[in-house]
Amino acid sequence: MISHKEIIIRLILSAITGGLIGVEREVNNRPAGLRTHILVSVGSALMMLVSIDGFYDVETGLRTADSARLAAQVVSGIGFLGAGTIIKTGSNIKGLTTAASLWACACVGLAIGNGYYLGGLLTSVIILFTLMSLRSIEKRIFKGKYKKLEIISINRPGLIGEIGMLLGKHDIIIKDINIVDGEIEDREEHGTMEIHFMVKVRKNFNPNNFFREIYKIEGIFEALFYGRKIHDNNFQVL
């Protein structure tokens, strides 16, 4: 049987580790923040404690059931909560990292609840490092490889397909597409949208030819590349 002191230590420690992970998510304005991560971590630790101590026959001192089955349900059950943090907007999907952090936080809670302090604490440190530091490292790695192409156009069927065909014609690789619907300020047109492409261009990429052709696509009235506004026949190589 686990002592009362040990139970208190494990629950408080799981709350602290879950809270640290939750603070990082809260600062970045994610769907699941401080309170959610604390609840997940503490709840997981409690389930592990119940698994350890809750299936003993006091008189015989023997287990009355497989205690691992209760803790195992936490790992699979946390997926329902994680799925609620995933948001799909157009073709853009957000919340996968938060869902993963919730799952990892549940695992940390199970580990600490089982008294596996080294594994739980070390995993918490790795999670925090991944969330706080690897984002900037990732941006530095891919900053030189991918460029942002922004297109403002009329919202009409088949437009993205035509743009995609043009990108393929110029051997431009698409990494990500984000669509922002809505009206553009200072314009009379309605039903406009912004399309943001993260693309990788070849060394022999000819921007002048590309932007001459992109303005031939019906509905496009503004394009930005490398953060600079591009007008038809007025593109300078950057």
Side-chain angles (χ1 to χ4, degrees):
M1 298 291 289
I2 303 175
S3 66
H4 291 171
K5 179 181 178 181
E6 188 69 14
I7 291 174
I8 294 172
I9 291 174
R10 294 183 187 185
L11 289 174
I12 292 177
L13 191 58
S14 65
I16 293 173
T17 54
L20 290 174
I21 298 171
V23 165
E24 193 281 336
R25 297 284 82 191
E26 191 85 42
V27 169
N28 289 280
N29 196 29
R30 300 307 179 189
L34 174 64
R35 293 180 297 174
T36 304
H37 281 78
I38 290 177
L39 292 174
V40 167
S41 186
V42 172
S44 301
L46 178 60
M47 285 298 99
M48 180 56 77
L49 290 170
V50 173
S51 297
I52 296 172
D53 270 355
F55 296 96
Y56 275 108
D57 188 316
V58 178
E59 295 182 357
T60 62
L62 300 175
R63 290 185 183 274
T64 58
D66 183 6
S67 60
R69 294 176 62 185
L70 182 60
Q73 297 305 310
V74 174
V75 179
S76 58
I78 196 64
F80 292 98
L81 181 60
T85 67
I86 300 174
I87 302 172
K88 186 176 186 297
T89 305
S91 61
N92 193 36
I93 299 176
K94 298 181 179 180
L96 291 174
T97 302
T98 301
S101 71
L102 284 172
W103 182 84
C105 199
C107 295
V108 169
L110 290 173
I112 294 176
N114 194 38
Y116 191 53
Y117 296 123
L118 178 60
L121 294 175
L122 182 58
T123 301
S124 299
V125 172
I126 294 173
I127 293 171
L128 286 171
F129 175 77
T130 301
L131 294 175
M132 298 174 67
S133 300
L134 288 189
R135 179 185 301 161
S136 58
I137 295 175
E138 184 181 28
K139 287 182 179 180
R140 291 175 186 174
I141 293 174
F142 294 107
K143 184 177 180 180
K145 294 184 177 181
Y146 295 100
K147 305 298 180 183
K148 190 173 183 180
L149 169 64
E150 300 178 43
I151 294 175
I152 302 175
S153 65
I154 296 172
N155 189 349
R156 67 172 180 84
L159 177 65
I160 296 179
E162 293 179 26
I163 297 173
M165 290 179 63
L166 179 61
L167 293 173
K169 177 183 176 181
H170 289 268
D171 293 324
I172 299 176
I173 300 172
I174 303 174
K175 179 180 181 291
D176 185 49
I177 303 175
N178 184 25
I179 302 173
V180 183
D181 294 312
E183 298 180 10
I184 307 301
E185 295 182 0
D186 300 327
R187 291 190 178 272
E188 296 179 357
E189 292 89 352
H190 295 282
T192 56
M193 66 176 181
E194 291 184 38
I195 313 171
H196 299 171
F197 294 89
M198 290 299 295
V199 298
K200 181 179 180 181
V201 299
R202 305 290 185 182
K203 291 183 179 179
N204 59 350
F205 172 64
N206 189 324
N208 295 292
N209 291 339
F210 173 74
F211 281 100
R212 287 192 189 98
E213 293 183 41
I214 200 169
Y215 277 103
K216 293 180 182 179
I217 297 177
E218 180 185 353
I220 294 179
F221 46 77
E222 191 170 281
L224 294 92
F225 200 49
Y226 294 70
R228 293 178 57 180
K229 185 179 295 186
I230 310 302
H231 296 286
D232 191 12
N233 298 322
N234 189 30
F235 180 77
Q236 297 179 351
V237 179
L238 303 177

